[in-house]
Amino acid sequence: MWSAWTIAKREIKSLFVSPAVYIVLGLFALLSGVQFLLSLQRFDQLLQQAQIQAQLMKNPDALAHISLNVMLISNVVAFAFFLLLFTVPAITMRLLSEEKSQGTYELLLTSPITAWDIVLGKFIAGVVFFSLLLVTHALFLIVMFGYGNPEPLPVLSGYLGLFCAGVSFLAIGLFASSLTKNQIIAFFVSLFLGLGLLMIGWAAQTLSGNISKFLEAASITFQFENFNKGLITVSGLVYFITVWIFFLSATRVSLQSLTRS
Amino acid sequence: MIKASHLTKTYGPLTALSDVSFEVQTGEIVGFLGANGAGKTTTMRILTGFYQPTSGQAWVAGHSVTENPADVKRNIGYLPETPPLYPEMTVEGYLRFVLELKKTAKADRPELLEWALEKCGLKNRRNSIIGNLSKGYRQRVGLAQAVIHKPPVIILDEPTVGLDPVQIIEIRNLIREFSGGHTVLLSTHILSEVTAVCQRAIIVHRGRIAHEQTIKDLSAKKSLEEVFLEVISKDVSFEDESRTSKLSVAH
Ligand SMILES: Nc1ncnc2c1ncn2[C@@H]1O[C@H](COP(=O)(O)OP(=O)(O)O)[C@@H](O)[C@H]1O
Ligand SMILES: [Mg+2]
């Protein structure tokens, strides 16, 4: 377990001297920011229209239908989910591929540590960096809570869903990175696996019956959107934890097969 | 300290090692000599627990590499063919990381770090970024990571390859200093390296042990070079024979 932390510490230090990582961080913050401003503007227009309507029709209820949570925050969170599909693979692609290409995995695999130590260490480093990505959203939250008074619980639930989904993309990316020493290949493999997990939801829409229900429940979008609507369910949590454990175990098997071959 | 018994390793259809057996005694420095592709790296990777043999068995420091690789790993220091370095780290940062990886006692770490820096001539480079070091210095860092935890068995895969003559002499002197306290197995394709550093040579050829020779038994009349060529030409004639016999069977 301590060795996992040894691996994680080293990886975090290396991440923070890597220019690529700052580019990913910057792009994520920039695109999130642009989308936030556009959403804010749109929300403002809707709000003004509603105010005019409320005055004209003497109907103060119209204002109550404009929810900051539904119209703004969940929008921002949903867009971040979409961004993570691309940004997380850009971080994870180097995690194990680089160890292979520069030969350092030979040091790791001949040291008295286990494959789990390596997998968990890399995973922890990924989670730390990913949390940093999410922290860039703090600015938007400050603005939103200062500007209006959204309900805090659905916001919290939305970000919990975003965190769970992002960590799922991380586990997938780590697995992809264990397959190859080529970072570009690792990037595309994790992107396609992530897309696959998202697209089974589309397949569900064209089918019916139990298969449709099953596919819907298996799609990451469905699970994330439940959280983003404020619905934290046990089945949702179980879903995400299963995805993490599945891909982390697959990574471990993939690492072990290197030495067993 | 090291015992290999009938090791065989195949990569798909290719047989990289067949029936390799040898022993290295405690405190010995042994050279594993062979041309490129002879099977040196494959043997070393099996001894370090990195690869599993297809068949056969090996023991390092009394532990089986197939049944107990974790204990084997605790007793070895290994310099792979490409030194396993993180270019963005400093020499000191990297060696501290290795000390943790090798599970050394926390209290011993400062002393071991200073010892390895001193021994490998890295004291004035401790704060250098590894990626900015010359090849010779990078090799020293690679050597430092293999010895820093003072393992009983040190395995070095072509430690002087790609270095200039001055660097080669420096690295050889370093390796020689580890004799006595440690058991050292090093691989090379340079004949003179074995006579310069080792007490004994094991010649591998096409995945087989072709010859074993104690260096001090070499007479002035017969150099290691002659022994090597003799061993290899014997094998070539054997190959020719088998090919002709196959042909005759086909006819
Ligand atoms: N991972 C591998 N996959 C397939 N073939 C390999 C692999 N590693 C080595 N070989 C082959 O096995 C043979 C022995 O290689 P190696 O042990 O690296 O020799 P040496 O270190 O003496 O140059 C060579 O023919 C090499 O091409
Ligand atoms: Mg080799």
Side-chain angles (χ1 to χ4, degrees):
Chain A
M1 206 53 210
W2 290 118
S3 301
W5 180 236
T6 300
I7 305 266
K9 261 190 318 190
R10 199 213 62 75
E11 187 65 43
I12 291 165
K13 282 186 207 151
S14 285
L15 278 170
F16 284 109
V17 296
S18 155
V21 163
Y22 287 98
I23 294 173
V24 170
L25 193 66
L27 273 178
F28 180 81
L30 181 75
L31 292 174
S32 298
V34 169
Q35 195 262 350
F36 173 68
L37 288 178
L38 292 175
S39 305
L40 201 62
Q41 207 179 21
R42 168 134 184 75
F43 179 73
D44 205 42
Q45 281 171 357
L46 284 174
L47 196 65
Q48 278 170 11
Q49 282 169 10
Q51 272 168 346
I52 293 168
Q53 268 185 2
Q55 277 175 358
L56 285 179
M57 332 248 312
K58 303 235 172 340
N59 176 13
D61 282 354
L63 268 180
H65 290 302
I66 307 287
S67 147
L68 191 62
N69 284 91
V70 174
M71 300 202 144
L72 182 58
I73 300 179
S74 69
N75 246 343
V76 170
V77 173
F79 184 71
F81 169 79
F82 166 76
L83 277 184
L84 288 180
L85 190 62
F86 299 90
T87 43
V88 169
I91 310 163
T92 53
M93 63 183 191
R94 63 191 294 272
L95 288 176
L96 288 163
S97 302
E98 198 173 61
E99 301 273 357
K100 278 191 178 181
S101 63
Q102 68 194 9
T104 41
Y105 73 126
E106 223 165 326
L107 166 64
L108 300 184
L109 292 175
T110 57
S111 290
I113 59 172
T114 63
W116 266 130
D117 289 325
I118 301 173
V119 175
L120 286 182
K122 294 284 176 176
F123 182 63
I124 292 168
V127 171
V128 167
F129 180 76
F130 166 63
S131 307
L132 204 76
L133 273 189
L134 286 192
V135 166
T136 60
H137 272 226
L139 185 65
F140 313 147
L141 287 175
I142 290 170
V143 171
M144 286 188 279
F145 276 92
Y147 177 86
N149 54 339
E151 291 172 57
L153 280 183
V155 175
L156 216 63
S157 160
Y159 274 95
L160 181 64
L162 192 61
F163 181 82
C164 288
V167 171
S168 304
F169 292 142
L170 261 178
I172 292 171
L174 187 60
F175 170 66
S177 178
S178 76
L179 299 176
T180 168
K181 61 178 169 186
N182 184 322
Q183 295 190 25
I184 307 295
I185 295 177
F187 175 84
F188 281 106
V189 169
S190 50
L191 182 60
F192 285 127
L193 285 175
L195 273 175
L197 210 51
L198 192 140
M199 279 171 22
I200 42 184
W202 301 352
Q205 289 167 4
T206 64
L207 297 166
S208 58
N210 281 340
I211 291 199
S212 167
K213 278 214 186 86
F214 172 77
L215 287 180
E216 188 183 57
S219 103
I220 195 165
T221 339
F222 173 77
Q223 301 292 351
F224 161 72
E225 276 169 357
N226 272 345
F227 276 78
N228 202 14
K229 284 178 207 152
L231 288 172
I232 301 180
T233 59
V234 173
S235 68
L237 289 171
V238 168
Y239 171 85
F240 284 120
I241 292 172
T242 308
V243 171
W244 304 346
I245 292 177
F246 176 80
F247 281 100
L248 292 181
S249 306
T251 310
R252 174 169 170 261
V253 170
S254 158
L255 268 190
Q256 279 179 330
S257 75
L258 272 180
T259 66
R260 294 279 150 80
S261 64
Chain B
M1 212 41 158
I2 301 176
K3 185 173 193 287
S5 165
H6 307 289
L7 287 179
T8 296
K9 175 79 185 174
T10 56
Y11 298 110
L14 180 103
T15 303
L17 284 186
S18 54
D19 201 27
V20 165
S21 302
F22 64 91
E23 276 186 51
V24 180
Q25 304 306 324
T26 306
E28 239 187 332
I29 299 196
V30 170
F32 216 58
L33 180 64
N36 287 326
K40 304 182 293 295
T41 299
T42 302
T43 310
M44 296 191 141
R45 285 181 159 176
I46 291 173
L47 294 178
T48 55
F50 185 78
Y51 278 161
Q52 293 285 298
T54 309
S55 67
Q57 188 51 273
W59 293 266
V60 175
H63 304 286
S64 152
V65 296
T66 54
E67 280 150 36
N68 216 343
D71 282 327
V72 169
K73 290 172 187 178
R74 213 160 282 138
N75 284 288
I76 54 159
Y78 174 42
L79 173 60
E81 213 165 350
T82 27
L85 307 175
Y86 296 95
E88 71 280 4
M89 294 179 94
T90 65
V91 171
E92 189 178 326
Y94 172 71
L95 291 177
R96 284 183 191 279
F97 167 68
V98 173
L99 280 170
E100 284 186 38
L101 264 193
K102 303 293 176 183
K103 300 203 164 151
T104 54
K106 202 165 184 176
D108 298 341
R109 285 179 199 159
E111 201 182 311
L112 289 171
L113 175 70
E114 294 310 315
W115 172 80
L117 287 170
E118 170 82 51
K119 194 92 177 170
C120 299
L122 289 164
K123 270 220 136 94
N124 57 352
R125 291 285 191 283
R126 62 194 304 156
N127 295 318
S128 304
I129 303 288
I130 291 173
N132 297 339
L133 292 176
S134 69
K135 196 156 174 25
Y137 270 103
R138 281 208 292 264
Q139 199 71 14
R140 287 178 189 218
V141 180
L143 200 58
Q145 73 62 45
V147 300
I148 193 162
H149 51 303
K150 301 194 178 173
V153 177
I154 300 172
I155 295 177
L156 310 170
D157 198 354
E158 309 220 16
T160 61
V161 77
L163 301 184
D164 68 37
V166 176
Q167 294 167 336
I168 289 180
I169 290 169
E170 285 172 355
I171 294 283
R172 284 182 187 166
N173 287 339
L174 279 177
I175 296 169
R176 231 180 277 123
E177 283 185 39
F178 292 113
S179 63
H182 305 267
T183 305
V184 183
L185 178 66
L186 69 89
S187 79
T188 178
H189 61 269
I190 307 161
L191 287 159
S192 61
E193 186 141 299
V194 179
T195 30
V197 184
C198 305
Q199 294 148 5
R200 193 153 58 90
I202 298 173
I203 299 175
V204 264
H205 185 58
R206 298 190 187 177
R208 290 172 182 278
I209 303 288
H211 190 72
E212 287 193 40
Q213 174 85 50
T214 310
I215 300 301
K216 68 176 193 302
D217 287 352
L218 287 168
S219 61
K221 270 183 285 171
K222 207 171 183 183
S223 67
L224 186 60
E225 195 166 1
E226 286 165 316
V227 172
F228 185 71
L229 290 174
E230 210 172 274
V231 166
I232 283 174
S233 59
K234 225 189 281 165
D235 184 73
V236 170
S237 55
F238 166 76
E239 283 263 306
D240 285 349
E241 269 168 31
S242 64
R243 203 169 296 142
T244 44
S245 62
K246 256 182 221 146
L247 278 177
S248 57
V249 171
H251 274 291

